[in-house]
Amino acid sequence: AGSEIKFNTTADRKTVESYTPYAVIIATGGYAVKPKSIQGIGLDNVCTVTDILAGTVLLKNKKVVVVGSGMTGLETAELLAEQGNTVTVLEMARTIAPGTWMQHKDDILPRLKLKHVELCCSKKLIAIHRNYITVETNNREKKQFQIQCDQVVLSLGIKSNNVLYNDLKPLIPNLYLIGDACKPGRIAEATESAYLAVKSIN
């Protein structure tokens, strides 16, 4: 369709302005959160699913706990297992991947089983230490115990990355914010917001 795709280019305010655009659609997504309320969150053995999927953190032959069993957490757990790690997925809810379409669960759960990924439900992360985490059962008993691990990978949701949108807002009248950059959600919601944004450009 004649679209130009530019790689290795940071879409900052100066770069966007150089195009003197009629309209700009911001689809900068979001980034994984690291809740400060969790003890030990700042240790160097803690990273996010973004770090793993982007390849900025590479793990091999490690005991890894993935905290959060949404689809991103499960897909990251599968990747880590493929890379030779022993993986445990920790989920606070009573079931794995709550709110996820059954078709997606039916697809990935057998693969995780084949890769010997351990799935732990009704368990809440309390604190992170150098070689283990403290976990609490999410029930009336509230029993605490430890899980030995080398690395903790957080999959606890995302926060919108809308910095560029805010930079450009005073300068570009036809500015649109879509997908996770606007509001964290699912693929269907992101593509719908993109469709509606394009339709509204006059």
mmCIF file with all atom_site columns, all heavy atoms in Angstrom, residues 140-162:
data_model
loop_
_atom_site.group_PDB
_atom_site.id
_atom_site.type_symbol
_atom_site.label_atom_id
_atom_site.label_alt_id
_atom_site.label_comp_id
_atom_site.label_asym_id
_atom_site.label_entity_id
_atom_site.label_seq_id
_atom_site.pdbx_PDB_ins_code
_atom_site.Cartn_x
_atom_site.Cartn_y
_atom_site.Cartn_z
_atom_site.occupancy
_atom_site.B_iso_or_equiv
_atom_site.pdbx_formal_charge
_atom_site.auth_seq_id
_atom_site.auth_comp_id
_atom_site.auth_asym_id
_atom_site.auth_atom_id
_atom_site.pdbx_PDB_model_num
ATOM 1   N N   . ARG A 1 140 ? -8.151  -18.816 54.075 1.00 0.00 ? 140 ARG A N   1
ATOM 2   C CA  . ARG A 1 140 ? -8.339  -18.409 55.469 1.00 0.00 ? 140 ARG A CA  1
ATOM 3   C C   . ARG A 1 140 ? -7.114  -18.688 56.324 1.00 0.00 ? 140 ARG A C   1
ATOM 4   O O   . ARG A 1 140 ? -6.820  -17.966 57.271 1.00 0.00 ? 140 ARG A O   1
ATOM 5   C CB  . ARG A 1 140 ? -9.553  -19.129 56.053 1.00 0.00 ? 140 ARG A CB  1
ATOM 6   C CG  . ARG A 1 140 ? -10.890 -18.687 55.459 1.00 0.00 ? 140 ARG A CG  1
ATOM 7   C CD  . ARG A 1 140 ? -12.035 -19.440 56.111 1.00 0.00 ? 140 ARG A CD  1
ATOM 8   N NE  . ARG A 1 140 ? -13.327 -19.040 55.560 1.00 0.00 ? 140 ARG A NE  1
ATOM 9   C CZ  . ARG A 1 140 ? -14.479 -19.563 55.936 1.00 0.00 ? 140 ARG A CZ  1
ATOM 10  N NH1 . ARG A 1 140 ? -14.503 -20.512 56.868 1.00 0.00 ? 140 ARG A NH1 1
ATOM 11  N NH2 . ARG A 1 140 ? -15.618 -19.156 55.394 1.00 0.00 ? 140 ARG A NH2 1
ATOM 12  N N   . GLU A 1 141 ? -6.397  -19.744 56.006 1.00 0.00 ? 141 GLU A N   1
ATOM 13  C CA  . GLU A 1 141 ? -5.267  -20.142 56.850 1.00 0.00 ? 141 GLU A CA  1
ATOM 14  C C   . GLU A 1 141 ? -4.084  -19.186 56.726 1.00 0.00 ? 141 GLU A C   1
ATOM 15  O O   . GLU A 1 141 ? -3.359  -18.964 57.690 1.00 0.00 ? 141 GLU A O   1
ATOM 16  C CB  . GLU A 1 141 ? -4.833  -21.559 56.475 1.00 0.00 ? 141 GLU A CB  1
ATOM 17  C CG  . GLU A 1 141 ? -5.915  -22.596 56.771 1.00 0.00 ? 141 GLU A CG  1
ATOM 18  C CD  . GLU A 1 141 ? -5.470  -23.979 56.349 1.00 0.00 ? 141 GLU A CD  1
ATOM 19  O OE1 . GLU A 1 141 ? -4.439  -24.113 55.651 1.00 0.00 ? 141 GLU A OE1 1
ATOM 20  O OE2 . GLU A 1 141 ? -6.151  -24.956 56.723 1.00 0.00 ? 141 GLU A OE2 1
ATOM 21  N N   . LYS A 1 142 ? -3.860  -18.628 55.540 1.00 0.00 ? 142 LYS A N   1
ATOM 22  C CA  . LYS A 1 142 ? -2.768  -17.667 55.325 1.00 0.00 ? 142 LYS A CA  1
ATOM 23  C C   . LYS A 1 142 ? -1.415  -18.235 55.761 1.00 0.00 ? 142 LYS A C   1
ATOM 24  O O   . LYS A 1 142 ? -0.619  -17.569 56.418 1.00 0.00 ? 142 LYS A O   1
ATOM 25  C CB  . LYS A 1 142 ? -3.033  -16.356 56.069 1.00 0.00 ? 142 LYS A CB  1
ATOM 26  C CG  . LYS A 1 142 ? -4.345  -15.676 55.712 1.00 0.00 ? 142 LYS A CG  1
ATOM 27  C CD  . LYS A 1 142 ? -4.325  -15.126 54.300 1.00 0.00 ? 142 LYS A CD  1
ATOM 28  C CE  . LYS A 1 142 ? -5.612  -14.394 53.960 1.00 0.00 ? 142 LYS A CE  1
ATOM 29  N NZ  . LYS A 1 142 ? -5.665  -13.937 52.559 1.00 0.00 ? 142 LYS A NZ  1
ATOM 30  N N   . LYS A 1 143 ? -1.154  -19.458 55.386 1.00 0.00 ? 143 LYS A N   1
ATOM 31  C CA  . LYS A 1 143 ? 0.123   -20.073 55.745 1.00 0.00 ? 143 LYS A CA  1
ATOM 32  C C   . LYS A 1 143 ? 1.231   -19.561 54.829 1.00 0.00 ? 143 LYS A C   1
ATOM 33  O O   . LYS A 1 143 ? 1.035   -19.408 53.628 1.00 0.00 ? 143 LYS A O   1
ATOM 34  C CB  . LYS A 1 143 ? 0.024   -21.596 55.633 1.00 0.00 ? 143 LYS A CB  1
ATOM 35  C CG  . LYS A 1 143 ? -0.817  -22.239 56.722 1.00 0.00 ? 143 LYS A CG  1
ATOM 36  C CD  . LYS A 1 143 ? -0.756  -23.757 56.617 1.00 0.00 ? 143 LYS A CD  1
ATOM 37  C CE  . LYS A 1 143 ? -1.545  -24.410 57.751 1.00 0.00 ? 143 LYS A CE  1
ATOM 38  N NZ  . LYS A 1 143 ? -1.493  -25.899 57.656 1.00 0.00 ? 143 LYS A NZ  1
ATOM 39  N N   . GLN A 1 144 ? 2.398   -19.311 55.417 1.00 0.00 ? 144 GLN A N   1
ATOM 40  C CA  . GLN A 1 144 ? 3.536   -18.852 54.634 1.00 0.00 ? 144 GLN A CA  1
ATOM 41  C C   . GLN A 1 144 ? 4.572   -19.965 54.494 1.00 0.00 ? 144 GLN A C   1
ATOM 42  O O   . GLN A 1 144 ? 4.768   -20.770 55.403 1.00 0.00 ? 144 GLN A O   1
ATOM 43  C CB  . GLN A 1 144 ? 4.181   -17.624 55.288 1.00 0.00 ? 144 GLN A CB  1
ATOM 44  C CG  . GLN A 1 144 ? 3.307   -16.373 55.204 1.00 0.00 ? 144 GLN A CG  1
ATOM 45  C CD  . GLN A 1 144 ? 4.059   -15.106 55.566 1.00 0.00 ? 144 GLN A CD  1
ATOM 46  O OE1 . GLN A 1 144 ? 5.258   -15.125 55.835 1.00 0.00 ? 144 GLN A OE1 1
ATOM 47  N NE2 . GLN A 1 144 ? 3.353   -13.987 55.568 1.00 0.00 ? 144 GLN A NE2 1
ATOM 48  N N   . PHE A 1 145 ? 5.207   -19.999 53.323 1.00 0.00 ? 145 PHE A N   1
ATOM 49  C CA  . PHE A 1 145 ? 6.288   -20.954 53.087 1.00 0.00 ? 145 PHE A CA  1
ATOM 50  C C   . PHE A 1 145 ? 7.239   -20.364 52.053 1.00 0.00 ? 145 PHE A C   1
ATOM 51  O O   . PHE A 1 145 ? 7.003   -19.273 51.517 1.00 0.00 ? 145 PHE A O   1
ATOM 52  C CB  . PHE A 1 145 ? 5.728   -22.306 52.624 1.00 0.00 ? 145 PHE A CB  1
ATOM 53  C CG  . PHE A 1 145 ? 4.932   -22.248 51.348 1.00 0.00 ? 145 PHE A CG  1
ATOM 54  C CD1 . PHE A 1 145 ? 5.528   -22.542 50.134 1.00 0.00 ? 145 PHE A CD1 1
ATOM 55  C CD2 . PHE A 1 145 ? 3.582   -21.909 51.361 1.00 0.00 ? 145 PHE A CD2 1
ATOM 56  C CE1 . PHE A 1 145 ? 4.797   -22.498 48.953 1.00 0.00 ? 145 PHE A CE1 1
ATOM 57  C CE2 . PHE A 1 145 ? 2.850   -21.865 50.190 1.00 0.00 ? 145 PHE A CE2 1
ATOM 58  C CZ  . PHE A 1 145 ? 3.454   -22.161 48.985 1.00 0.00 ? 145 PHE A CZ  1
ATOM 59  N N   . GLN A 1 146 ? 8.310   -21.059 51.778 1.00 0.00 ? 146 GLN A N   1
ATOM 60  C CA  . GLN A 1 146 ? 9.336   -20.559 50.873 1.00 0.00 ? 146 GLN A CA  1
ATOM 61  C C   . GLN A 1 146 ? 9.444   -21.420 49.626 1.00 0.00 ? 146 GLN A C   1
ATOM 62  O O   . GLN A 1 146 ? 9.202   -22.630 49.676 1.00 0.00 ? 146 GLN A O   1
ATOM 63  C CB  . GLN A 1 146 ? 10.700  -20.512 51.580 1.00 0.00 ? 146 GLN A CB  1
ATOM 64  C CG  . GLN A 1 146 ? 10.739  -19.570 52.772 1.00 0.00 ? 146 GLN A CG  1
ATOM 65  C CD  . GLN A 1 146 ? 12.048  -19.652 53.524 1.00 0.00 ? 146 GLN A CD  1
ATOM 66  O OE1 . GLN A 1 146 ? 12.908  -20.488 53.236 1.00 0.00 ? 146 GLN A OE1 1
ATOM 67  N NE2 . GLN A 1 146 ? 12.216  -18.785 54.521 1.00 0.00 ? 146 GLN A NE2 1
ATOM 68  N N   . ILE A 1 147 ? 9.799   -20.772 48.511 1.00 0.00 ? 147 ILE A N   1
ATOM 69  C CA  . ILE A 1 147 ? 10.098  -21.471 47.266 1.00 0.00 ? 147 ILE A CA  1
ATOM 70  C C   . ILE A 1 147 ? 11.508  -21.064 46.841 1.00 0.00 ? 147 ILE A C   1
ATOM 71  O O   . ILE A 1 147 ? 11.797  -19.877 46.678 1.00 0.00 ? 147 ILE A O   1
ATOM 72  C CB  . ILE A 1 147 ? 9.098   -21.119 46.152 1.00 0.00 ? 147 ILE A CB  1
ATOM 73  C CG1 . ILE A 1 147 ? 7.680   -21.562 46.539 1.00 0.00 ? 147 ILE A CG1 1
ATOM 74  C CG2 . ILE A 1 147 ? 9.510   -21.773 44.829 1.00 0.00 ? 147 ILE A CG2 1
ATOM 75  C CD1 . ILE A 1 147 ? 6.616   -21.174 45.522 1.00 0.00 ? 147 ILE A CD1 1
ATOM 76  N N   . GLN A 1 148 ? 12.390  -22.045 46.707 1.00 0.00 ? 148 GLN A N   1
ATOM 77  C CA  . GLN A 1 148 ? 13.754  -21.766 46.283 1.00 0.00 ? 148 GLN A CA  1
ATOM 78  C C   . GLN A 1 148 ? 13.770  -21.355 44.806 1.00 0.00 ? 148 GLN A C   1
ATOM 79  O O   . GLN A 1 148 ? 13.102  -21.959 43.982 1.00 0.00 ? 148 GLN A O   1
ATOM 80  C CB  . GLN A 1 148 ? 14.633  -23.003 46.479 1.00 0.00 ? 148 GLN A CB  1
ATOM 81  C CG  . GLN A 1 148 ? 14.718  -23.493 47.917 1.00 0.00 ? 148 GLN A CG  1
ATOM 82  C CD  . GLN A 1 148 ? 15.376  -22.478 48.836 1.00 0.00 ? 148 GLN A CD  1
ATOM 83  O OE1 . GLN A 1 148 ? 16.402  -21.910 48.501 1.00 0.00 ? 148 GLN A OE1 1
ATOM 84  N NE2 . GLN A 1 148 ? 14.780  -22.263 50.006 1.00 0.00 ? 148 GLN A NE2 1
ATOM 85  N N   . CYS A 1 149 ? 14.543  -20.328 44.489 1.00 0.00 ? 149 CYS A N   1
ATOM 86  C CA  . CYS A 1 149 ? 14.642  -19.890 43.089 1.00 0.00 ? 149 CYS A CA  1
ATOM 87  C C   . CYS A 1 149 ? 15.867  -19.007 42.905 1.00 0.00 ? 149 CYS A C   1
ATOM 88  O O   . CYS A 1 149 ? 16.380  -18.413 43.856 1.00 0.00 ? 149 CYS A O   1
ATOM 89  C CB  . CYS A 1 149 ? 13.382  -19.149 42.645 1.00 0.00 ? 149 CYS A CB  1
ATOM 90  S SG  . CYS A 1 149 ? 13.048  -17.642 43.574 1.00 0.00 ? 149 CYS A SG  1
ATOM 91  N N   . ASP A 1 150 ? 16.325  -18.937 41.658 1.00 0.00 ? 150 ASP A N   1
ATOM 92  C CA  . ASP A 1 150 ? 17.446  -18.067 41.304 1.00 0.00 ? 150 ASP A CA  1
ATOM 93  C C   . ASP A 1 150 ? 16.966  -16.721 40.766 1.00 0.00 ? 150 ASP A C   1
ATOM 94  O O   . ASP A 1 150 ? 17.646  -15.713 40.913 1.00 0.00 ? 150 ASP A O   1
ATOM 95  C CB  . ASP A 1 150 ? 18.317  -18.727 40.223 1.00 0.00 ? 150 ASP A CB  1
ATOM 96  C CG  . ASP A 1 150 ? 18.832  -20.087 40.654 1.00 0.00 ? 150 ASP A CG  1
ATOM 97  O OD1 . ASP A 1 150 ? 19.453  -20.158 41.724 1.00 0.00 ? 150 ASP A OD1 1
ATOM 98  O OD2 . ASP A 1 150 ? 18.596  -21.080 39.922 1.00 0.00 ? 150 ASP A OD2 1
ATOM 99  N N   . GLN A 1 151 ? 15.791  -16.732 40.133 1.00 0.00 ? 151 GLN A N   1
ATOM 100 C CA  . GLN A 1 151 ? 15.287  -15.530 39.462 1.00 0.00 ? 151 GLN A CA  1
ATOM 101 C C   . GLN A 1 151 ? 13.777  -15.441 39.607 1.00 0.00 ? 151 GLN A C   1
ATOM 102 O O   . GLN A 1 151 ? 13.077  -16.454 39.571 1.00 0.00 ? 151 GLN A O   1
ATOM 103 C CB  . GLN A 1 151 ? 15.645  -15.566 37.967 1.00 0.00 ? 151 GLN A CB  1
ATOM 104 C CG  . GLN A 1 151 ? 15.266  -14.324 37.179 1.00 0.00 ? 151 GLN A CG  1
ATOM 105 C CD  . GLN A 1 151 ? 16.262  -13.189 37.363 1.00 0.00 ? 151 GLN A CD  1
ATOM 106 O OE1 . GLN A 1 151 ? 17.409  -13.424 37.741 1.00 0.00 ? 151 GLN A OE1 1
ATOM 107 N NE2 . GLN A 1 151 ? 15.846  -11.962 37.079 1.00 0.00 ? 151 GLN A NE2 1
ATOM 108 N N   . VAL A 1 152 ? 13.289  -14.204 39.758 1.00 0.00 ? 152 VAL A N   1
ATOM 109 C CA  . VAL A 1 152 ? 11.848  -13.946 39.818 1.00 0.00 ? 152 VAL A CA  1
ATOM 110 C C   . VAL A 1 152 ? 11.481  -13.083 38.615 1.00 0.00 ? 152 VAL A C   1
ATOM 111 O O   . VAL A 1 152 ? 12.099  -12.045 38.370 1.00 0.00 ? 152 VAL A O   1
ATOM 112 C CB  . VAL A 1 152 ? 11.459  -13.214 41.116 1.00 0.00 ? 152 VAL A CB  1
ATOM 113 C CG1 . VAL A 1 152 ? 9.965   -12.895 41.130 1.00 0.00 ? 152 VAL A CG1 1
ATOM 114 C CG2 . VAL A 1 152 ? 11.835  -14.055 42.332 1.00 0.00 ? 152 VAL A CG2 1
ATOM 115 N N   . VAL A 1 153 ? 10.481  -13.537 37.866 1.00 0.00 ? 153 VAL A N   1
ATOM 116 C CA  . VAL A 1 153 ? 10.013  -12.805 36.686 1.00 0.00 ? 153 VAL A CA  1
ATOM 117 C C   . VAL A 1 153 ? 8.577   -12.362 36.943 1.00 0.00 ? 153 VAL A C   1
ATOM 118 O O   . VAL A 1 153 ? 7.694   -13.187 37.167 1.00 0.00 ? 153 VAL A O   1
ATOM 119 C CB  . VAL A 1 153 ? 10.080  -13.681 35.419 1.00 0.00 ? 153 VAL A CB  1
ATOM 120 C CG1 . VAL A 1 153 ? 9.571   -12.903 34.208 1.00 0.00 ? 153 VAL A CG1 1
ATOM 121 C CG2 . VAL A 1 153 ? 11.508  -14.162 35.176 1.00 0.00 ? 153 VAL A CG2 1
ATOM 122 N N   . LEU A 1 154 ? 8.346   -11.064 36.914 1.00 0.00 ? 154 LEU A N   1
ATOM 123 C CA  . LEU A 1 154 ? 7.034   -10.511 37.252 1.00 0.00 ? 154 LEU A CA  1
ATOM 124 C C   . LEU A 1 154 ? 6.148   -10.350 36.022 1.00 0.00 ? 154 LEU A C   1
ATOM 125 O O   . LEU A 1 154 ? 6.559   -9.779  35.009 1.00 0.00 ? 154 LEU A O   1
ATOM 126 C CB  . LEU A 1 154 ? 7.206   -9.150  37.929 1.00 0.00 ? 154 LEU A CB  1
ATOM 127 C CG  . LEU A 1 154 ? 8.060   -9.120  39.195 1.00 0.00 ? 154 LEU A CG  1
ATOM 128 C CD1 . LEU A 1 154 ? 8.231   -7.687  39.674 1.00 0.00 ? 154 LEU A CD1 1
ATOM 129 C CD2 . LEU A 1 154 ? 7.456   -9.988  40.289 1.00 0.00 ? 154 LEU A CD2 1
ATOM 130 N N   . SER A 1 155 ? 4.934   -10.862 36.131 1.00 0.00 ? 155 SER A N   1
ATOM 131 C CA  . SER A 1 155 ? 3.912   -10.671 35.101 1.00 0.00 ? 155 SER A CA  1
ATOM 132 C C   . SER A 1 155 ? 2.634   -10.217 35.806 1.00 0.00 ? 155 SER A C   1
ATOM 133 O O   . SER A 1 155 ? 1.639   -10.936 35.885 1.00 0.00 ? 155 SER A O   1
ATOM 134 C CB  . SER A 1 155 ? 3.667   -11.965 34.331 1.00 0.00 ? 155 SER A CB  1
ATOM 135 O OG  . SER A 1 155 ? 2.717   -11.759 33.304 1.00 0.00 ? 155 SER A OG  1
ATOM 136 N N   . LEU A 1 156 ? 2.698   -8.992  36.325 1.00 0.00 ? 156 LEU A N   1
ATOM 137 C CA  . LEU A 1 156 ? 1.633   -8.471  37.185 1.00 0.00 ? 156 LEU A CA  1
ATOM 138 C C   . LEU A 1 156 ? 0.882   -7.313  36.536 1.00 0.00 ? 156 LEU A C   1
ATOM 139 O O   . LEU A 1 156 ? 0.429   -6.400  37.211 1.00 0.00 ? 156 LEU A O   1
ATOM 140 C CB  . LEU A 1 156 ? 2.239   -8.026  38.526 1.00 0.00 ? 156 LEU A CB  1
ATOM 141 C CG  . LEU A 1 156 ? 2.927   -9.142  39.327 1.00 0.00 ? 156 LEU A CG  1
ATOM 142 C CD1 . LEU A 1 156 ? 3.626   -8.572  40.545 1.00 0.00 ? 156 LEU A CD1 1
ATOM 143 C CD2 . LEU A 1 156 ? 1.919   -10.208 39.725 1.00 0.00 ? 156 LEU A CD2 1
ATOM 144 N N   . GLY A 1 157 ? 0.761   -7.370  35.226 1.00 0.00 ? 157 GLY A N   1
ATOM 145 C CA  . GLY A 1 157 ? 0.040   -6.325  34.516 1.00 0.00 ? 157 GLY A CA  1
ATOM 146 C C   . GLY A 1 157 ? 0.980   -5.280  33.933 1.00 0.00 ? 157 GLY A C   1
ATOM 147 O O   . GLY A 1 157 ? 2.193   -5.332  34.144 1.00 0.00 ? 157 GLY A O   1
ATOM 148 N N   . ILE A 1 158 ? 0.398   -4.345  33.196 1.00 0.00 ? 158 ILE A N   1
ATOM 149 C CA  . ILE A 1 158 ? 1.199   -3.320  32.551 1.00 0.00 ? 158 ILE A CA  1
ATOM 150 C C   . ILE A 1 158 ? 0.659   -1.916  32.833 1.00 0.00 ? 158 ILE A C   1
ATOM 151 O O   . ILE A 1 158 ? -0.496  -1.753  33.224 1.00 0.00 ? 158 ILE A O   1
ATOM 152 C CB  . ILE A 1 158 ? 1.275   -3.528  31.023 1.00 0.00 ? 158 ILE A CB  1
ATOM 153 C CG1 . ILE A 1 158 ? -0.107  -3.346  30.382 1.00 0.00 ? 158 ILE A CG1 1
ATOM 154 C CG2 . ILE A 1 158 ? 1.864   -4.879  30.672 1.00 0.00 ? 158 ILE A CG2 1
ATOM 155 C CD1 . ILE A 1 158 ? -0.067  -3.287  28.886 1.00 0.00 ? 158 ILE A CD1 1
ATOM 156 N N   . LYS A 1 159 ? 1.516   -0.967  32.626 1.00 0.00 ? 159 LYS A N   1
ATOM 157 C CA  . LYS A 1 159 ? 1.157   0.443   32.754 1.00 0.00 ? 159 LYS A CA  1
ATOM 158 C C   . LYS A 1 159 ? 1.338   1.108   31.405 1.00 0.00 ? 159 LYS A C   1
ATOM 159 O O   . LYS A 1 159 ? 2.317   0.861   30.703 1.00 0.00 ? 159 LYS A O   1
ATOM 160 C CB  . LYS A 1 159 ? 2.032   1.119   33.809 1.00 0.00 ? 159 LYS A CB  1
ATOM 161 C CG  . LYS A 1 159 ? 1.634   2.557   34.110 1.00 0.00 ? 159 LYS A CG  1
ATOM 162 C CD  . LYS A 1 159 ? 2.486   3.132   35.240 1.00 0.00 ? 159 LYS A CD  1
ATOM 163 C CE  . LYS A 1 159 ? 2.070   4.568   35.549 1.00 0.00 ? 159 LYS A CE  1
ATOM 164 N NZ  . LYS A 1 159 ? 2.892   5.134   36.665 1.00 0.00 ? 159 LYS A NZ  1
ATOM 165 N N   . SER A 1 160 ? 0.404   1.973   31.031 1.00 0.00 ? 160 SER A N   1
ATOM 166 C CA  . SER A 1 160 ? 0.454   2.612   29.721 1.00 0.00 ? 160 SER A CA  1
ATOM 167 C C   . SER A 1 160 ? 1.713   3.451   29.546 1.00 0.00 ? 160 SER A C   1
ATOM 168 O O   . SER A 1 160 ? 2.115   4.188   30.442 1.00 0.00 ? 160 SER A O   1
ATOM 169 C CB  . SER A 1 160 ? -0.780  3.506   29.525 1.00 0.00 ? 160 SER A CB  1
ATOM 170 O OG  . SER A 1 160 ? -1.957  2.736   29.514 1.00 0.00 ? 160 SER A OG  1
ATOM 171 N N   . ASN A 1 161 ? 2.323   3.315   28.366 1.00 0.00 ? 161 ASN A N   1
ATOM 172 C CA  . ASN A 1 161 ? 3.476   4.142   28.005 1.00 0.00 ? 161 ASN A CA  1
ATOM 173 C C   . ASN A 1 161 ? 2.982   5.260   27.087 1.00 0.00 ? 161 ASN A C   1
ATOM 174 O O   . ASN A 1 161 ? 2.930   5.107   25.867 1.00 0.00 ? 161 ASN A O   1
ATOM 175 C CB  . ASN A 1 161 ? 4.533   3.292   27.299 1.00 0.00 ? 161 ASN A CB  1
ATOM 176 C CG  . ASN A 1 161 ? 5.736   4.113   26.875 1.00 0.00 ? 161 ASN A CG  1
ATOM 177 O OD1 . ASN A 1 161 ? 5.894   5.264   27.267 1.00 0.00 ? 161 ASN A OD1 1
ATOM 178 N ND2 . ASN A 1 161 ? 6.584   3.523   26.050 1.00 0.00 ? 161 ASN A ND2 1
ATOM 179 N N   . ASN A 1 162 ? 2.577   6.371   27.669 1.00 0.00 ? 162 ASN A N   1
ATOM 180 C CA  . ASN A 1 162 ? 2.011   7.472   26.888 1.00 0.00 ? 162 ASN A CA  1
ATOM 181 C C   . ASN A 1 162 ? 2.845   8.749   26.968 1.00 0.00 ? 162 ASN A C   1
ATOM 182 O O   . ASN A 1 162 ? 2.331   9.856   26.795 1.00 0.00 ? 162 ASN A O   1
ATOM 183 C CB  . ASN A 1 162 ? 0.563   7.749   27.313 1.00 0.00 ? 162 ASN A CB  1
ATOM 184 C CG  . ASN A 1 162 ? 0.428   7.896   28.818 1.00 0.00 ? 162 ASN A CG  1
ATOM 185 O OD1 . ASN A 1 162 ? 1.380   8.286   29.505 1.00 0.00 ? 162 ASN A OD1 1
ATOM 186 N ND2 . ASN A 1 162 ? -0.742  7.571   29.354 1.00 0.00 ? 162 ASN A ND2 1
#
